[in-house]
Amino acid sequence: MAQPSIMDHLAGEGHLSAGAPATLARLAGGVAHEVRNPLAIIRMGLDNLARSLPDHPDRARLFLDDLYEAVERTERIVDALLKFGAPRPLNYERVAAADLIREAVTTVQSLSLEEGIQVSLDIDSDVPPLRLDRAMVLEVLQQILSNAFHAMPGGGTVTITATTRPGSPGFDGAVIIEVCDTGEGIPPASLPKLFDPFFTTRQGQLGLGLPIAQVVMELHGGRIEIEPNEGGGTVARLAFRV
Amino acid sequence: MSTRKILVIDDEQAYTRMITFALEDTGEFKVRTVNDPTQAAETARLFDPDCCVLDIIMPEMSGLEVAELFKRDPVLKNKPIVFLTAAVSKEHPHIQHDLLEDCPVLIKPVGSDELIACIDSVTTGANRKAS
């Protein structure tokens, strides 16, 4: 029997907000466009190569370089999409927020050391354990931390907090994890596009990190928000139901 | 037939380079490329192309917006356009626009022979609609 995919999870059991299918639709459209473009280069390049090889070895080298680059791009796109859409079960477990945060920080620590970035943790003692897929949410945290570190090329401070928001009638309680950086901030024009598949401001990036993070959070019945931080920088906020 | 001037507007620099070689190697075309679509109209006025090969999804300005701009421009409004895009498929077109009905649309990836045949059709006026 086939394992349920993220798509199946999204469709079932009322896990998600109404926005998730639209996100996936945008993702699918982005896939077609982003994969076909490098394939188009390869196809036209091969035509050129076939004509040029016998008489123009120098030109053939130029074509080949472009083709290698296009092939690598295609491979990275496909790898990311397989990671996102391949059938995989959710492995729920109880995880202490503090452990998860410390593990995420440890795995991306090399970036902060290189850039001279200080990392500060402030985790409330009353934050309850979270029921989640540890590996998937760990990747979300790593993505957010990586974004924060890259936003501070000249150094700065990343402050990670975990707090509990008590429930009230009609509103579940939540655990809020915030990652605040003192970096260059996000241009206002980019804010509405942050969760669009393939939107990126960094050279060589696919622009799938935040869209995948959004789907993972929705899969857990939570949400992700990113907004300018008062006083500069950016704050990324993860909200988990408890 | 004298050398035809082709303006290729696509944000992928490697792709416009490939198209340039593919077309100019035939000896029948002189190609100018634009990777920033906001520069397309100005370049077109200066270059006076016989045909524009136009991508659709580009940053800053889509190919459809570029085409609309051309159609409103008294100098450029009659320039033949060939859309060359990765945004739609022949089986499942999901971008609707009148210009896509009026101009040939080629779907990436496309071979050089198919592109040249389409350019031939619009520059000779023999067939304004690509198959």
Side-chain angles (χ1 to χ4, degrees), chain B residues 4-71:
Chain B
R4 285 162 286 171
K5 294 193 288 186
I6 310 299
L7 179 62
V8 181
I9 303 155
D10 192 308
D11 60 311
E12 288 272 5
Q13 190 175 20
Y15 194 48
T16 56
R17 184 161 57 236
M18 291 295 178
I19 291 178
T20 299
F21 284 123
L23 296 181
E24 291 194 342
D25 275 1
T26 66
E28 297 180 13
F29 303 100
K30 177 178 175 57
V31 177
R32 183 75 54 85
T33 63
V34 173
N35 300 119
D36 176 357
T38 64
Q39 302 298 311
E42 181 181 353
T43 304
R45 289 189 203 99
L46 293 172
F47 184 55
D48 189 25
D50 296 296
C51 174
C52 299
V53 176
L54 182 54
D55 189 14
I56 292 181
I57 294 183
M58 295 183 283
E60 307 291 341
M61 192 175 191
S62 77
L64 294 171
E65 291 172 317
V66 171
E68 287 175 341
L69 186 63
F70 279 26
K71 295 303 178 188

Side-chain angles (χ1 to χ4, degrees), chain A residues 89-146:
Chain A
L90 278 177
N91 295 315
Y92 282 113
E93 58 181 304
R94 292 279 175 189
V95 179
D99 292 346
L100 195 68
I101 291 168
R102 289 195 180 94
E103 185 175 353
V105 171
T106 300
T107 53
V108 296
Q109 191 93 47
S110 60
L111 286 173
S112 66
L113 293 174
E114 287 174 11
E115 305 293 349
I117 295 166
Q118 301 295 317
V119 178
S120 169
L121 303 184
D122 184 3
I123 301 168
D124 282 359
S125 58
D126 63 348
V127 171
L130 299 167
R131 182 175 179 271
L132 47 73
D133 184 306
R134 183 188 189 101
M136 292 174 74
V137 176
L138 183 63
E139 288 190 20
V140 171
L141 275 171
Q142 290 168 335
Q143 177 68 47
I144 289 170
L145 287 169
S146 174

Side-chain angles (χ1 to χ4, degrees), chain A residues 29 32-34 36-41 43-48 51-52 59 62-64 66-67 73, chain B residues 10 12 14-15 17-19 21-22 25 55 57 85-89 107-113 115:
Chain A
H33 185 254
E34 295 304 317
R36 283 180 182 147
N37 271 319
L39 286 179
I41 297 168
R43 173 67 193 276
M44 192 67 73
L46 287 172
D47 287 352
N48 290 336
R51 282 198 318 278
S52 302
R59 285 179 56 180
L62 177 62
F63 298 147
L64 278 173
D66 285 332
L67 289 171
R73 276 178 55 193
Chain B
D10 192 308
E12 288 272 5
Y15 194 48
R17 184 161 57 236
M18 291 295 178
I19 291 178
F21 284 123
D25 275 1
D55 189 14
I57 294 183
T85 179
V88 295
S89 73
I107 309 299
K108 297 177 183 175
V110 64
S112 54
D113 287 348
L115 174 61

Side-chain angles (χ1 to χ4, degrees), chain B residues 101-112:
Chain B
E101 298 298 320
D102 298 332
C103 304
V105 180
L106 295 175
I107 309 299
K108 297 177 183 175
V110 64
S112 54

